Amino acid sequence: MENHFFKAYLDTLLSQIREKRARELVRNEIKAHLDDQKAAYMADGMSEPQAAQAAVSDMGDPIETGAALDRIHRPKPAWGMLAVIAVLCAFGIFLQYLISVNGQAPKAEGLPIFQKHFMCAVTGFALLCAVYLLDYTRIAVYSGWLCRLLLLFVLLLESNMIPPVPSAPLTEFLLYLYVPLYGALLYTYRNAKKPFWPMMVIYTILPLLLAQKSGKTILLLNLTAIFLFLIATAAIKGWFGLSKKKIRLAAAGVLALAAGIPIFSAFWLRAYQSARFYAWLHPETEPFGPGYIGSQIRAIVNGSKLIGPYTAQPIAEILPELSADFSFTFLIGTCGILAASALVLLILLFGIRMLHISLHQKNQLGLIMGLGCSLVFGIQSAESILVNLSLLPSTSAYFPLISYSQGGMLQTFILLGILLSIYRYQDVVSEPTV
């Protein structure tokens, strides 16, 4: 039962804090300080009432202390991150406009892709702001239901039990949205008192099987790596009650598994995927067949100028799907290496900032969910850049905020909204009770 000295002090202090969601966090912090100080005084021989009164006196005036804490425990605006996201959106819109006026102006659902991209960017940014204002800790409370519903929807999608849609891309983006939910699910099993590994295996393996069923090997590899990384992070944080020896053994197993995945995945490749991989390694063998894309990308990159367009041939006549898959190659060939390098640098700094926000969270739920969002953004960006430089086999590679993809853009904006919500409420919300 809370000491009446403590209760009176805390009630006065908390009345100064305007953000209601921060009061529980502040109460827990101040109560812990009061309990520690009371225990110290009792160890010196004071009675419990005397020790409690002395501990309260040491904390100072509750109104002044509460006012000071009110200035700290407030939602933090993420104007800088929102500005960078807006700049990247504007860059993507400008690049899609250049593609549309340089000879390749395909349409999507009756509208030019440039217009569709612009509409998706505006809608997605509004969605980001809405998610940014939500309390992300509510996800942990319903993470199990959300994971089951999402996986069920993807299963119905892949089983053709939902009206026809481009299922492979939609499956890909939905399974990437599963990542922060998976992180929240790991959080709910933190310090679990009953066996949870069977359920965790199901929640880990099922999305991987769905990724394999979709035919997207790169999606399977990405999700496997992300899940292993999140599990390893949770284990290192001591969530599962493992000893240091077991953690080291588990880490070694995870590294061995991660190293072996690319080797084992070679056995899962379909015929067209094997041909694509061989053509990437040896594009000169079939420059007008499977090796065509790789050969053309390398010619554009090698022939590009520091500033200015690639002049050998209009890029719109060389590469297909400039709006979706090869936007970055188009940027290199149209604006030059300097513009492409500036974009890569901005993406790199933005990705580092995302990781910094995630890894410096005191709230463990914010850490694991933010880390999942950061990994998805970083992996998708890196893969798109590498494919557009022919450093990875040619495949459909969505470049977050830059390439055209309705599902991809909405997925990215939701993930960024969750990350910014974590940043916004890092000094407000306490660890949720699940």
Side-chain angles (χ1 to χ4, degrees):
M1 184 174 178
E2 191 172 79
N3 184 283
H4 71 278
F5 290 113
F6 288 2
K7 185 178 186 307
Y9 183 85
L10 288 169
D11 288 346
T12 304
L13 184 147
L14 294 174
S15 68
Q16 307 303 309
I17 296 177
R18 287 167 286 182
E19 182 61 47
K20 293 181 179 179
R21 283 168 292 190
R23 291 175 183 172
E24 181 184 357
L25 178 63
V26 174
R27 175 182 284 276
N28 293 337
E29 290 179 357
I30 300 301
K31 179 68 164 50
H33 287 304
L34 290 170
D35 286 338
D36 290 341
Q37 194 62 22
K38 185 182 79 170
Y41 281 127
M42 291 179 67
D44 290 338
M46 283 188 180
S47 65
E48 183 175 354
Q50 290 174 328
Q53 193 170 10
V56 166
S57 298
D58 288 346
M59 290 298 294
D61 181 73
I63 295 178
E64 291 182 4
T65 304
L69 290 171
D70 177 62
R71 291 191 291 270
I72 296 171
H73 293 279
R74 281 176 151 184
K76 296 179 67 174
W79 301 122
M81 293 285 285
L82 287 170
V84 173
I85 294 170
V87 168
L88 288 172
C89 287
F91 196 100
I93 292 170
F94 175 70
L95 187 59
Q96 294 298 325
Y97 172 74
L98 287 181
I99 292 172
S100 70
V101 299
N102 277 273
Q104 193 181 95
K107 294 187 176 183
E109 300 175 8
L111 289 175
I113 280 185
F114 163 67
Q115 293 184 22
K116 294 288 292 184
H117 183 88
F118 178 81
M119 293 167 59
C120 284
V122 173
T123 304
F125 198 85
L127 178 62
L128 178 150
C129 292
V131 176
Y132 161 61
L133 295 175
L134 295 176
D135 180 358
Y136 73 94
T137 60
R138 303 304 301 167
I139 295 175
V141 179
Y142 304 105
S143 58
W145 283 105
L146 291 172
C147 286
R148 288 191 284 272
L149 288 173
L150 192 149
L151 292 176
L152 176 62
F153 183 81
V154 174
L155 180 61
L156 294 175
L157 190 66
E158 286 298 314
S159 302
N160 297 318
M161 298 177 69
I162 291 179
V165 290
S167 64
L170 185 56
T171 295
E172 177 180 359
F173 300 132
L174 287 174
L175 289 179
Y176 279 132
L177 283 177
Y178 178 81
V179 169
L181 298 178
Y182 180 80
L185 196 65
L186 283 177
Y187 177 86
T188 64
Y189 288 122
R190 186 180 63 154
N191 301 324
K193 293 182 172 59
K194 60 182 181 179
F196 61 90
W197 289 108
M199 290 305 298
M200 275 311 307
V201 169
I202 293 173
Y203 282 119
T204 303
I205 297 299
L206 185 54
L208 299 181
L209 292 176
L210 292 172
Q212 172 65 15
K213 182 175 174 57
S214 73
K216 295 282 290 185
T217 302
I218 193 68
L219 173 63
L220 172 65
L221 296 177
N222 290 346
L223 289 178
T224 304
I226 291 171
F227 290 167
L228 290 176
F229 196 91
L230 294 181
I231 292 171
T233 301
I236 291 171
K237 290 290 182 182
W239 289 10
F240 307 137
L242 300 177
S243 64
K244 291 184 178 180
K245 181 178 179 180
K246 289 182 178 179
I247 289 176
R248 286 195 292 268
L249 290 174
V254 166
L255 290 174
L257 183 59
I261 286 171
I263 298 173
F264 288 115
S265 66
F267 296 100
W268 301 336
L269 293 178
R270 302 176 185 182
Y272 75 91
Q273 292 172 324
S274 299
R276 183 184 296 166
F277 187 78
Y278 181 82
W280 169 65
L281 293 175
H282 307 284
E284 68 283 352
T285 58
E286 293 188 75
F288 298 103
Y292 173 79
I293 297 293
S295 299
Q296 297 303 321
I297 289 176
R298 293 176 190 185
I300 292 170
V301 172
N302 293 333
S304 294
K305 302 175 183 178
L306 189 62
I307 300 176
Y310 170 77
T311 55
Q313 189 177 353
I315 297 175
E317 298 177 5
I318 302 174
L319 292 177
E321 301 295 337
L322 290 181
S323 295
D325 296 333
F326 299 108
S327 301
F328 187 70
T329 305
F330 177 83
L331 175 65
I332 296 173
T334 302
C335 300
I337 296 173
L338 193 60
S341 300
L343 177 60
V344 171
L345 180 61
L346 183 59
I347 290 289
L348 179 62
L349 293 176
F350 184 68
I352 291 173
R353 178 59 177 157
M354 290 176 68
L355 280 174
H356 183 270
I357 289 174
S358 304
L359 296 176
H360 287 77
Q361 290 297 312
K362 292 180 289 186
N363 188 306
Q364 298 296 292
L365 174 63
L367 184 150
I368 200 74
M369 289 182 64
L371 187 58
C373 295
S374 302
L375 289 173
V376 171
F377 183 89
I379 286 175
Q380 286 188 315
S381 299
E383 283 177 352
S384 179
I385 291 171
L386 292 176
V387 167
N388 276 257
L389 293 174
S390 194
L391 297 177
L392 280 180
S394 176
T395 185
S396 176
Y398 165 65
F399 195 160
L401 304 178
I402 304 299
S403 298
Y404 169 73
S405 170
Q406 295 182 58
M409 291 185 73
L410 294 179
Q411 164 234 299
T412 299
F413 281 118
I414 291 173
L415 292 179
L416 291 177
I418 292 173
L419 182 77
L420 294 187
S421 175
I422 292 168
Y423 176 81
R424 175 179 171 81
Y425 292 112
Q426 60 184 324
D427 294 325
V428 173
V429 295
S430 59
E431 297 283 354
T433 301
V434 182

